[in-house]
Amino acid sequence: MRYTGGMKRTTRTFLFSFFMALFVVVTPVIIAYSQGYRIDFAHARIVETGALYLEPRPAPADLYLNGKLRKRSNVLFQNIFVSNLLPRAYHIEIKKEGYVTWGKNLSVSPRLVTELKNILLFKNQYTPSVIFQYAENFSLSPSKNKLVFVKTSDTPEMYLTVSPHGSLGEAGGESKESRLILKASNQFLNYRVSSILWNQDETLLLVALAPLAKANGEKNSRAFPEWMAINLQDQNPEAIDLTQLIHNSNEFAVYAKNLPAAKIDNLQWSKDGNSKIFFTVFDKNFGTLPSYLFLYDLETKQMSSPLAYDVLLYAPTEASKILYVSSFLATIHLLDQRTLEVQQVSFAAPAQITPVSSVSFIDTGLLLLMIDKNLYLLNLNEKIPNVQKLADEVISALVSSDKKRLLIATKDSLIIRWLRDVHVQPFHDVGESVSLLPAKSLPIFDALWLTKDNEHVLFSDQNSIKVTELDGRGERNTATLVDNIQATHLSYDESRDIVYYLARNTLYFISLK
């Protein structure tokens, strides 16, 4: 029996035409959707979408867009990616219980991912811990495993603490892990520790003792600092009077015979060995001219012949290399201490350089000069090095650990200058500068890099310790770590996320974890 059912030809034609039309209409919509196109109902248009990529720390944290929870990170997946966002301005917030809310107003652009990779969240409150009361100075070792602090006293006293972040003694007394390493004699009454320098393996210290100003403003009759060396490997270390030790050497008597009032100053560790020290010698009756540069080995007690005869300022740059400023012409030279070859790298002085100026070398070929609180930058990579004035009334200038940025702290501002191009968001060009603080900010006491990312700066003003981010897109986030305090001598231990500081003659630390 023949089957005569089924759809009529007109029905089949209709269905075929319908599904063909549906295919023609829906397929472009699906393709457009998969490529990020969406309907912007607010403006009645079809637009290409963008995305957000965020790296908030610590995790877990919540992402809010325009006040609504959008996504949550966790310990395994700490980063947050949000796609298919309409191109418009968003109020972006990162929230975590017990932490200060981080926020920015940023626009998302079509077909682009807006990246926010350096988001650090800070607690609502930190509790400072006391390491030592009656402290007037301190220094962390390069590894941050050791700390020496100076007790407030008529004559300088120094103590060594190993693992200073560990269990400490009662407030007001030495910690159980600290031991006396220097107790100056009455010869140094009314002196203070003005400089503490660690050698590479942290076994030796160079300590400068400088006279305090008298009540009438005049200095002690011993107008120049005395230098001591301390061997931290000794259980009961005795300070070595380096000034006297070098003065009594046979080599010194020969090389400084033309300087009847010879004075030793400006000691620095060599980067070529753990016991070698650079120093300059000048006749204090004639100011700082001429000034000779020598090398002394604490281990062998041997002193070199003069490495240079006209050194006003100097900075060791690498093994066997030294940059110095000529005391005669104020030009800059590069000295190879092994061959004694000298190369002149600048042909004009940027300003009137004085003995109280300072010079530091950045290993990208840049030289910083601080002259009467004015900061200059010299590019040694140029055929004719160009000297550029960066700022005046400068308190400090610190290069980031990745050598890409320079932090300049003045009496009321923080300035970041980029030393290299940055090709990730937010983009920056070499030579670009930004101010981190609004105009007429409170006076700045101290500032340093938060080296865990080099994208944040720790600083203290007359009321608090704060941390601020470099990323100025939208508004810049600033968090207060400690309030109602005037802190100085900020130091940061990156591996343990600990901040050390002095306030009210007390040495404190706070853990940012």
Side-chain angles (χ1 to χ4, degrees), residues 393-423:
E393 296 297 324
V394 174
I395 298 172
S396 64
L398 299 173
V399 179
S400 61
S401 58
D402 59 6
K403 310 297 182 183
K404 293 181 179 179
R405 308 160 187 83
L406 174 65
L407 167 62
I408 305 170
T410 71
K411 62 180 182 180
D412 57 5
S413 67
L414 296 174
I415 302 167
I416 301 297
R417 181 183 177 88
W418 274 265
L419 305 175
R420 298 180 186 175
D421 293 329
V422 176
H423 300 295

PDB file of all heavy atoms in Angstrom, residues 393-423:
ATOM      1  N   GLU A 393      65.460  71.333  47.365  1.00  0.00           N
ATOM      2  CA  GLU A 393      64.998  71.027  48.724  1.00  0.00           C
ATOM      3  C   GLU A 393      64.769  69.527  48.896  1.00  0.00           C
ATOM      4  O   GLU A 393      63.766  69.082  49.466  1.00  0.00           O
ATOM      5  CB  GLU A 393      63.727  71.820  49.055  1.00  0.00           C
ATOM      6  CG  GLU A 393      63.900  73.316  49.098  1.00  0.00           C
ATOM      7  CD  GLU A 393      64.871  73.763  50.193  1.00  0.00           C
ATOM      8  OE1 GLU A 393      64.889  73.129  51.274  1.00  0.00           O
ATOM      9  OE2 GLU A 393      65.604  74.730  49.964  1.00  0.00           O
ATOM     10  N   VAL A 394      65.724  68.736  48.414  1.00  0.00           N
ATOM     11  CA  VAL A 394      65.582  67.278  48.407  1.00  0.00           C
ATOM     12  C   VAL A 394      66.035  66.696  49.746  1.00  0.00           C
ATOM     13  O   VAL A 394      67.101  67.032  50.265  1.00  0.00           O
ATOM     14  CB  VAL A 394      66.393  66.665  47.250  1.00  0.00           C
ATOM     15  CG1 VAL A 394      66.363  65.138  47.323  1.00  0.00           C
ATOM     16  CG2 VAL A 394      65.845  67.146  45.913  1.00  0.00           C
ATOM     17  N   ILE A 395      65.202  65.806  50.301  1.00  0.00           N
ATOM     18  CA  ILE A 395      65.542  65.086  51.524  1.00  0.00           C
ATOM     19  C   ILE A 395      66.325  63.822  51.195  1.00  0.00           C
ATOM     20  O   ILE A 395      67.340  63.504  51.809  1.00  0.00           O
ATOM     21  CB  ILE A 395      64.263  64.727  52.316  1.00  0.00           C
ATOM     22  CG1 ILE A 395      63.530  65.992  52.744  1.00  0.00           C
ATOM     23  CG2 ILE A 395      64.600  63.854  53.518  1.00  0.00           C
ATOM     24  CD1 ILE A 395      62.172  65.712  53.362  1.00  0.00           C
ATOM     25  N   SER A 396      65.841  63.068  50.185  1.00  0.00           N
ATOM     26  CA  SER A 396      66.496  61.824  49.802  1.00  0.00           C
ATOM     27  C   SER A 396      66.120  61.486  48.366  1.00  0.00           C
ATOM     28  O   SER A 396      65.116  61.963  47.831  1.00  0.00           O
ATOM     29  CB  SER A 396      66.095  60.672  50.731  1.00  0.00           C
ATOM     30  OG  SER A 396      64.707  60.404  50.618  1.00  0.00           O
ATOM     31  N   ALA A 397      66.946  60.644  47.743  1.00  0.00           N
ATOM     32  CA  ALA A 397      66.686  60.155  46.384  1.00  0.00           C
ATOM     33  C   ALA A 397      67.053  58.675  46.357  1.00  0.00           C
ATOM     34  O   ALA A 397      68.203  58.316  46.612  1.00  0.00           O
ATOM     35  CB  ALA A 397      67.495  60.938  45.357  1.00  0.00           C
ATOM     36  N   LEU A 398      66.083  57.816  46.066  1.00  0.00           N
ATOM     37  CA  LEU A 398      66.280  56.369  46.118  1.00  0.00           C
ATOM     38  C   LEU A 398      65.870  55.731  44.800  1.00  0.00           C
ATOM     39  O   LEU A 398      64.767  55.994  44.288  1.00  0.00           O
ATOM     40  CB  LEU A 398      65.454  55.747  47.251  1.00  0.00           C
ATOM     41  CG  LEU A 398      65.775  56.217  48.668  1.00  0.00           C
ATOM     42  CD1 LEU A 398      64.758  55.651  49.645  1.00  0.00           C
ATOM     43  CD2 LEU A 398      67.182  55.817  49.064  1.00  0.00           C
ATOM     44  N   VAL A 399      66.735  54.882  44.266  1.00  0.00           N
ATOM     45  CA  VAL A 399      66.441  54.144  43.047  1.00  0.00           C
ATOM     46  C   VAL A 399      65.739  52.849  43.423  1.00  0.00           C
ATOM     47  O   VAL A 399      66.112  52.191  44.405  1.00  0.00           O
ATOM     48  CB  VAL A 399      67.733  53.860  42.259  1.00  0.00           C
ATOM     49  CG1 VAL A 399      67.432  53.073  40.992  1.00  0.00           C
ATOM     50  CG2 VAL A 399      68.435  55.163  41.914  1.00  0.00           C
ATOM     51  N   SER A 400      64.718  52.465  42.664  1.00  0.00           N
ATOM     52  CA  SER A 400      64.012  51.218  42.936  1.00  0.00           C
ATOM     53  C   SER A 400      64.935  50.029  42.707  1.00  0.00           C
ATOM     54  O   SER A 400      65.929  50.121  41.980  1.00  0.00           O
ATOM     55  CB  SER A 400      62.768  51.096  42.050  1.00  0.00           C
ATOM     56  OG  SER A 400      63.128  51.094  40.679  1.00  0.00           O
ATOM     57  N   SER A 401      64.615  48.893  43.313  1.00  0.00           N
ATOM     58  CA  SER A 401      65.493  47.723  43.231  1.00  0.00           C
ATOM     59  C   SER A 401      65.602  47.181  41.812  1.00  0.00           C
ATOM     60  O   SER A 401      66.581  46.515  41.479  1.00  0.00           O
ATOM     61  CB  SER A 401      64.994  46.621  44.174  1.00  0.00           C
ATOM     62  OG  SER A 401      63.664  46.252  43.852  1.00  0.00           O
ATOM     63  N   ASP A 402      64.615  47.469  40.953  1.00  0.00           N
ATOM     64  CA  ASP A 402      64.698  47.025  39.560  1.00  0.00           C
ATOM     65  C   ASP A 402      65.336  48.073  38.656  1.00  0.00           C
ATOM     66  O   ASP A 402      65.414  47.888  37.444  1.00  0.00           O
ATOM     67  CB  ASP A 402      63.310  46.646  39.025  1.00  0.00           C
ATOM     68  CG  ASP A 402      62.318  47.805  39.085  1.00  0.00           C
ATOM     69  OD1 ASP A 402      62.733  48.933  39.427  1.00  0.00           O
ATOM     70  OD2 ASP A 402      61.126  47.574  38.811  1.00  0.00           O
ATOM     71  N   LYS A 403      65.803  49.193  39.240  1.00  0.00           N
ATOM     72  CA  LYS A 403      66.530  50.259  38.534  1.00  0.00           C
ATOM     73  C   LYS A 403      65.670  50.977  37.491  1.00  0.00           C
ATOM     74  O   LYS A 403      66.213  51.647  36.610  1.00  0.00           O
ATOM     75  CB  LYS A 403      67.798  49.711  37.847  1.00  0.00           C
ATOM     76  CG  LYS A 403      68.686  48.865  38.734  1.00  0.00           C
ATOM     77  CD  LYS A 403      69.250  49.645  39.893  1.00  0.00           C
ATOM     78  CE  LYS A 403      70.179  48.786  40.736  1.00  0.00           C
ATOM     79  NZ  LYS A 403      70.689  49.503  41.913  1.00  0.00           N
ATOM     80  N   LYS A 404      64.365  50.889  37.600  1.00  0.00           N
ATOM     81  CA  LYS A 404      63.488  51.503  36.595  1.00  0.00           C
ATOM     82  C   LYS A 404      62.930  52.854  37.021  1.00  0.00           C
ATOM     83  O   LYS A 404      62.468  53.627  36.188  1.00  0.00           O
ATOM     84  CB  LYS A 404      62.322  50.565  36.275  1.00  0.00           C
ATOM     85  CG  LYS A 404      62.718  49.289  35.562  1.00  0.00           C
ATOM     86  CD  LYS A 404      61.491  48.444  35.257  1.00  0.00           C
ATOM     87  CE  LYS A 404      61.881  47.171  34.511  1.00  0.00           C
ATOM     88  NZ  LYS A 404      60.682  46.326  34.219  1.00  0.00           N
ATOM     89  N   ARG A 405      62.986  53.147  38.330  1.00  0.00           N
ATOM     90  CA  ARG A 405      62.334  54.350  38.830  1.00  0.00           C
ATOM     91  C   ARG A 405      63.216  55.020  39.877  1.00  0.00           C
ATOM     92  O   ARG A 405      63.986  54.361  40.563  1.00  0.00           O
ATOM     93  CB  ARG A 405      60.978  54.018  39.452  1.00  0.00           C
ATOM     94  CG  ARG A 405      60.054  53.200  38.591  1.00  0.00           C
ATOM     95  CD  ARG A 405      58.977  52.507  39.424  1.00  0.00           C
ATOM     96  NE  ARG A 405      58.178  51.585  38.663  1.00  0.00           N
ATOM     97  CZ  ARG A 405      58.514  50.333  38.381  1.00  0.00           C
ATOM     98  NH1 ARG A 405      59.673  49.859  38.814  1.00  0.00           N
ATOM     99  NH2 ARG A 405      57.715  49.556  37.688  1.00  0.00           N
ATOM    100  N   LEU A 406      63.021  56.310  40.019  1.00  0.00           N
ATOM    101  CA  LEU A 406      63.729  57.096  41.027  1.00  0.00           C
ATOM    102  C   LEU A 406      62.697  57.782  41.912  1.00  0.00           C
ATOM    103  O   LEU A 406      61.796  58.454  41.414  1.00  0.00           O
ATOM    104  CB  LEU A 406      64.631  58.131  40.358  1.00  0.00           C
ATOM    105  CG  LEU A 406      65.342  59.135  41.271  1.00  0.00           C
ATOM    106  CD1 LEU A 406      66.342  58.429  42.173  1.00  0.00           C
ATOM    107  CD2 LEU A 406      66.044  60.213  40.444  1.00  0.00           C
ATOM    108  N   LEU A 407      62.821  57.582  43.221  1.00  0.00           N
ATOM    109  CA  LEU A 407      61.943  58.235  44.194  1.00  0.00           C
ATOM    110  C   LEU A 407      62.670  59.430  44.783  1.00  0.00           C
ATOM    111  O   LEU A 407      63.737  59.293  45.368  1.00  0.00           O
ATOM    112  CB  LEU A 407      61.558  57.249  45.302  1.00  0.00           C
ATOM    113  CG  LEU A 407      60.908  57.827  46.562  1.00  0.00           C
ATOM    114  CD1 LEU A 407      59.581  58.508  46.241  1.00  0.00           C
ATOM    115  CD2 LEU A 407      60.726  56.735  47.618  1.00  0.00           C
ATOM    116  N   ILE A 408      62.087  60.605  44.622  1.00  0.00           N
ATOM    117  CA  ILE A 408      62.668  61.844  45.141  1.00  0.00           C
ATOM    118  C   ILE A 408      61.733  62.381  46.217  1.00  0.00           C
ATOM    119  O   ILE A 408      60.568  62.679  45.945  1.00  0.00           O
ATOM    120  CB  ILE A 408      62.843  62.893  44.031  1.00  0.00           C
ATOM    121  CG1 ILE A 408      63.674  62.320  42.867  1.00  0.00           C
ATOM    122  CG2 ILE A 408      63.497  64.152  44.587  1.00  0.00           C
ATOM    123  CD1 ILE A 408      63.692  63.211  41.644  1.00  0.00           C
ATOM    124  N   ALA A 409      62.257  62.481  47.434  1.00  0.00           N
ATOM    125  CA  ALA A 409      61.474  63.045  48.534  1.00  0.00           C
ATOM    126  C   ALA A 409      61.973  64.452  48.825  1.00  0.00           C
ATOM    127  O   ALA A 409      63.165  64.657  49.074  1.00  0.00           O
ATOM    128  CB  ALA A 409      61.601  62.166  49.778  1.00  0.00           C
ATOM    129  N   THR A 410      61.093  65.416  48.748  1.00  0.00           N
ATOM    130  CA  THR A 410      61.413  66.787  49.132  1.00  0.00           C
ATOM    131  C   THR A 410      60.691  67.095  50.439  1.00  0.00           C
ATOM    132  O   THR A 410      60.030  66.232  51.014  1.00  0.00           O
ATOM    133  CB  THR A 410      61.000  67.790  48.043  1.00  0.00           C
ATOM    134  OG1 THR A 410      59.570  67.895  47.989  1.00  0.00           O
ATOM    135  CG2 THR A 410      61.514  67.334  46.671  1.00  0.00           C
ATOM    136  N   LYS A 411      60.793  68.325  50.890  1.00  0.00           N
ATOM    137  CA  LYS A 411      60.216  68.648  52.203  1.00  0.00           C
ATOM    138  C   LYS A 411      58.703  68.520  52.228  1.00  0.00           C
ATOM    139  O   LYS A 411      58.113  68.332  53.299  1.00  0.00           O
ATOM    140  CB  LYS A 411      60.636  70.052  52.627  1.00  0.00           C
ATOM    141  CG  LYS A 411      60.160  71.157  51.696  1.00  0.00           C
ATOM    142  CD  LYS A 411      60.617  72.516  52.190  1.00  0.00           C
ATOM    143  CE  LYS A 411      60.102  73.642  51.288  1.00  0.00           C
ATOM    144  NZ  LYS A 411      60.538  74.965  51.765  1.00  0.00           N
ATOM    145  N   ASP A 412      58.037  68.592  51.066  1.00  0.00           N
ATOM    146  CA  ASP A 412      56.581  68.481  51.072  1.00  0.00           C
ATOM    147  C   ASP A 412      56.017  67.733  49.865  1.00  0.00           C
ATOM    148  O   ASP A 412      54.833  67.874  49.540  1.00  0.00           O
ATOM    149  CB  ASP A 412      55.932  69.878  51.152  1.00  0.00           C
ATOM    150  CG  ASP A 412      56.376  70.791  50.021  1.00  0.00           C
ATOM    151  OD1 ASP A 412      57.101  70.323  49.121  1.00  0.00           O
ATOM    152  OD2 ASP A 412      56.002  71.976  50.037  1.00  0.00           O
ATOM    153  N   SER A 413      56.850  66.927  49.181  1.00  0.00           N
ATOM    154  CA  SER A 413      56.342  66.205  48.015  1.00  0.00           C
ATOM    155  C   SER A 413      57.132  64.915  47.788  1.00  0.00           C
ATOM    156  O   SER A 413      58.256  64.765  48.269  1.00  0.00           O
ATOM    157  CB  SER A 413      56.411  67.082  46.755  1.00  0.00           C
ATOM    158  OG  SER A 413      57.757  67.334  46.394  1.00  0.00           O
ATOM    159  N   LEU A 414      56.504  64.013  47.058  1.00  0.00           N
ATOM    160  CA  LEU A 414      57.139  62.777  46.607  1.00  0.00           C
ATOM    161  C   LEU A 414      57.035  62.742  45.090  1.00  0.00           C
ATOM    162  O   LEU A 414      55.938  62.805  44.532  1.00  0.00           O
ATOM    163  CB  LEU A 414      56.450  61.550  47.210  1.00  0.00           C
ATOM    164  CG  LEU A 414      56.510  61.393  48.731  1.00  0.00           C
ATOM    165  CD1 LEU A 414      55.660  60.212  49.165  1.00  0.00           C
ATOM    166  CD2 LEU A 414      57.948  61.219  49.201  1.00  0.00           C
ATOM    167  N   ILE A 415      58.183  62.618  44.421  1.00  0.00           N
ATOM    168  CA  ILE A 415      58.230  62.650  42.963  1.00  0.00           C
ATOM    169  C   ILE A 415      58.808  61.335  42.461  1.00  0.00           C
ATOM    170  O   ILE A 415      59.815  60.847  42.986  1.00  0.00           O
ATOM    171  CB  ILE A 415      59.090  63.830  42.465  1.00  0.00           C
ATOM    172  CG1 ILE A 415      58.535  65.164  42.991  1.00  0.00           C
ATOM    173  CG2 ILE A 415      59.166  63.847  40.938  1.00  0.00           C
ATOM    174  CD1 ILE A 415      59.476  66.330  42.816  1.00  0.00           C
ATOM    175  N   ILE A 416      58.163  60.760  41.456  1.00  0.00           N
ATOM    176  CA  ILE A 416      58.673  59.556  40.807  1.00  0.00           C
ATOM    177  C   ILE A 416      59.139  59.931  39.407  1.00  0.00           C
ATOM    178  O   ILE A 416      58.413  60.572  38.642  1.00  0.00           O
ATOM    179  CB  ILE A 416      57.588  58.459  40.703  1.00  0.00           C
ATOM    180  CG1 ILE A 416      57.063  58.090  42.089  1.00  0.00           C
ATOM    181  CG2 ILE A 416      58.147  57.228  40.000  1.00  0.00           C
ATOM    182  CD1 ILE A 416      58.085  57.502  43.008  1.00  0.00           C
ATOM    183  N   ARG A 417      60.372  59.536  39.071  1.00  0.00           N
ATOM    184  CA  ARG A 417      60.907  59.750  37.738  1.00  0.00           C
ATOM    185  C   ARG A 417      61.284  58.385  37.156  1.00  0.00           C
ATOM    186  O   ARG A 417      61.981  57.606  37.806  1.00  0.00           O
ATOM    187  CB  ARG A 417      62.132  60.659  37.767  1.00  0.00           C
ATOM    188  CG  ARG A 417      62.714  60.937  36.366  1.00  0.00           C
ATOM    189  CD  ARG A 417      63.960  61.785  36.446  1.00  0.00           C
ATOM    190  NE  ARG A 417      64.547  61.998  35.146  1.00  0.00           N
ATOM    191  CZ  ARG A 417      64.225  62.978  34.317  1.00  0.00           C
ATOM    192  NH1 ARG A 417      63.294  63.854  34.682  1.00  0.00           N
ATOM    193  NH2 ARG A 417      64.807  63.099  33.137  1.00  0.00           N
ATOM    194  N   TRP A 418      60.827  58.127  35.931  1.00  0.00           N
ATOM    195  CA  TRP A 418      61.110  56.845  35.300  1.00  0.00           C
ATOM    196  C   TRP A 418      62.454  56.895  34.583  1.00  0.00           C
ATOM    197  O   TRP A 418      62.725  57.792  33.785  1.00  0.00           O
ATOM    198  CB  TRP A 418      59.994  56.483  34.321  1.00  0.00           C
ATOM    199  CG  TRP A 418      58.861  55.785  35.023  1.00  0.00           C
ATOM    200  CD1 TRP A 418      58.670  54.436  35.135  1.00  0.00           C
ATOM    201  CD2 TRP A 418      57.803  56.392  35.768  1.00  0.00           C
ATOM    202  NE1 TRP A 418      57.549  54.164  35.896  1.00  0.00           N
ATOM    203  CE2 TRP A 418      57.001  55.347  36.297  1.00  0.00           C
ATOM    204  CE3 TRP A 418      57.451  57.715  36.050  1.00  0.00           C
ATOM    205  CZ2 TRP A 418      55.869  55.587  37.069  1.00  0.00           C
ATOM    206  CZ3 TRP A 418      56.334  57.952  36.822  1.00  0.00           C
ATOM    207  CH2 TRP A 418      55.560  56.891  37.330  1.00  0.00           C
ATOM    208  N   LEU A 419      63.310  55.917  34.904  1.00  0.00           N
ATOM    209  CA  LEU A 419      64.647  55.828  34.333  1.00  0.00           C
ATOM    210  C   LEU A 419      64.679  54.931  33.104  1.00  0.00           C
ATOM    211  O   LEU A 419      65.656  54.924  32.366  1.00  0.00           O
ATOM    212  CB  LEU A 419      65.626  55.294  35.378  1.00  0.00           C
ATOM    213  CG  LEU A 419      65.683  56.083  36.695  1.00  0.00           C
ATOM    214  CD1 LEU A 419      66.603  55.387  37.684  1.00  0.00           C
ATOM    215  CD2 LEU A 419      66.144  57.521  36.438  1.00  0.00           C
ATOM    216  N   ARG A 420      63.619  54.150  32.913  1.00  0.00           N
ATOM    217  CA  ARG A 420      63.484  53.293  31.735  1.00  0.00           C
ATOM    218  C   ARG A 420      62.036  53.326  31.255  1.00  0.00           C
ATOM    219  O   ARG A 420      61.125  53.657  32.024  1.00  0.00           O
ATOM    220  CB  ARG A 420      63.866  51.848  32.061  1.00  0.00           C
ATOM    221  CG  ARG A 420      65.307  51.632  32.502  1.00  0.00           C
ATOM    222  CD  ARG A 420      65.553  50.154  32.783  1.00  0.00           C
ATOM    223  NE  ARG A 420      66.889  49.917  33.339  1.00  0.00           N
ATOM    224  CZ  ARG A 420      67.312  48.736  33.755  1.00  0.00           C
ATOM    225  NH1 ARG A 420      66.491  47.680  33.691  1.00  0.00           N
ATOM    226  NH2 ARG A 420      68.526  48.580  34.250  1.00  0.00           N
ATOM    227  N   ASP A 421      61.826  52.948  30.001  1.00  0.00           N
ATOM    228  CA  ASP A 421      60.462  52.829  29.494  1.00  0.00           C
ATOM    229  C   ASP A 421      59.768  51.654  30.168  1.00  0.00           C
ATOM    230  O   ASP A 421      60.377  50.621  30.444  1.00  0.00           O
ATOM    231  CB  ASP A 421      60.461  52.606  27.972  1.00  0.00           C
ATOM    232  CG  ASP A 421      60.975  53.811  27.205  1.00  0.00           C
ATOM    233  OD1 ASP A 421      60.776  54.946  27.686  1.00  0.00           O
ATOM    234  OD2 ASP A 421      61.571  53.616  26.125  1.00  0.00           O
ATOM    235  N   VAL A 422      58.474  51.819  30.419  1.00  0.00           N
ATOM    236  CA  VAL A 422      57.645  50.745  30.973  1.00  0.00           C
ATOM    237  C   VAL A 422      56.593  50.395  29.931  1.00  0.00           C
ATOM    238  O   VAL A 422      55.792  51.238  29.543  1.00  0.00           O
ATOM    239  CB  VAL A 422      56.975  51.173  32.294  1.00  0.00           C
ATOM    240  CG1 VAL A 422      56.046  50.078  32.813  1.00  0.00           C
ATOM    241  CG2 VAL A 422      58.035  51.514  33.335  1.00  0.00           C
ATOM    242  N   HIS A 423      56.600  49.138  29.482  1.00  0.00           N
ATOM    243  CA  HIS A 423      55.745  48.718  28.369  1.00  0.00           C
ATOM    244  C   HIS A 423      54.546  47.893  28.812  1.00  0.00           C
ATOM    245  O   HIS A 423      53.937  47.200  28.006  1.00  0.00           O
ATOM    246  CB  HIS A 423      56.567  47.919  27.353  1.00  0.00           C
ATOM    247  CG  HIS A 423      57.716  48.698  26.778  1.00  0.00           C
ATOM    248  ND1 HIS A 423      57.550  49.818  25.992  1.00  0.00           N
ATOM    249  CD2 HIS A 423      59.065  48.544  26.899  1.00  0.00           C
ATOM    250  CE1 HIS A 423      58.723  50.303  25.632  1.00  0.00           C
ATOM    251  NE2 HIS A 423      59.665  49.547  26.180  1.00  0.00           N
TER     252      HIS A 423
END
